[in-house]
Amino acid sequence: MMRLVLLLLVVAGVAAFFTRPDERKMREAADAVLSDPQNLSQGIESIGASIAGNRDFSNYYLVSRYVVSLDNTPVVTCWGAFTQVQCSRASDEPAAEAT
């Protein structure tokens, strides 16, 4: 039984390696999020990120990450694996601290 589980993990890892999204697909997904602002501040932030933003693609062998940042602050973060890309806009609210 343990060999079967190990074999399935290896097969899943190989599949993830060969199906992770490339930089072009990640950039398209990030641009789609930037082009759909929900309010005025996100619209202004999207324009700034499109013109002067930094774009960083990271390849982690099994998954990919793409970050669009403006003034070293992430605006859009995308993760991709198994040909799928999930992008999210950075939250405007500061992270709550546990007490």
Side-chain angles (χ1 to χ4, degrees):
M1 182 65 176
M2 189 63 160
R3 288 183 184 174
L4 180 61
V5 171
L6 184 60
L7 177 65
L8 290 175
L9 286 175
V10 169
V11 169
V14 170
F17 179 78
F18 285 109
T19 61
R20 71 180 180 272
D22 60 353
E23 184 173 4
R24 181 184 53 80
K25 188 170 183 179
M26 301 284 278
R27 183 182 186 99
E28 289 172 359
D31 288 341
V33 172
L34 285 173
S35 67
D36 186 30
Q38 301 301 313
N39 54 39
L40 182 61
S41 66
Q42 285 183 356
I44 294 170
E45 187 178 60
S46 294
I47 292 170
S50 295
I51 294 171
N54 296 328
R55 294 172 180 262
D56 182 38
F57 176 75
S58 301
N59 176 6
Y60 295 118
Y61 297 109
L62 301 181
V63 297
S64 301
R65 186 179 90 163
Y66 192 82
V67 178
V68 179
S69 59
L70 182 63
D71 195 28
N72 293 328
T73 303
V75 176
V76 175
T77 303
C78 299
W79 287 93
F82 296 108
T83 69
Q84 302 296 312
V85 178
Q86 178 66 42
C87 293
S88 62
R89 189 177 282 274
S91 175
D92 292 339
E93 301 174 15
E97 295 182 12
T99 55

